[in-house]
Amino acid sequence: MILFYALVSIGTLERILPSVLNSTDKEKLDAARQFIAMSVPSYPDNKQICRHTGLNETKLGVGFKHFLGESPYDYFLHQKMLMAKEMLLSTDESIEMVSIKLNYWWATGFTREFKKHFGYSPSEFRGNHGRG
């Protein structure tokens, strides 16, 4: 286990693991991607994703990073923010209601995450797209 963390810390595991991923693993990674996208707005933890796909946590994390350029959670968050944009465009619900539907305890947390992700607030986004 110590060797595993040492390889991760120096970036070696990320270079070695993709060469040992077989086509079945790649299919499982695609299944994991789909499972995560279908789970929005709630993140299924990595153990649940692994149980669903048959991947182990190492192949899930490193494989995701290699093929999609981001962690499973970052992919989830991106999908969640895309859902937020769609909700902001397609409904007249308040930003507070959108944040609740996306499983945020506080609208300020949602607003902060949205702005961090896109560079503008949900209200700015709505204002620029004819809603608000």
Side-chain angles (χ1 to χ4, degrees), residues 44-87:
D45 65 35
N46 287 354
K47 288 186 187 330
Q48 187 178 359
I49 298 166
C50 289
R51 277 192 303 272
H52 181 78
T53 61
L55 286 167
N56 65 46
E57 288 192 56
T58 301
K59 285 186 177 183
L60 174 68
V62 176
F64 235 82
K65 192 79 166 167
H66 177 75
F67 290 111
L68 296 172
E70 57 191 349
S71 72
Y73 185 78
D74 288 339
Y75 175 78
F76 160 79
L77 192 55
H78 180 72
Q79 296 305 305
K80 189 173 182 173
M81 291 295 104
L82 291 176
M83 181 181 277
K85 271 187 164 181
E86 179 59 33
M87 291 172 76

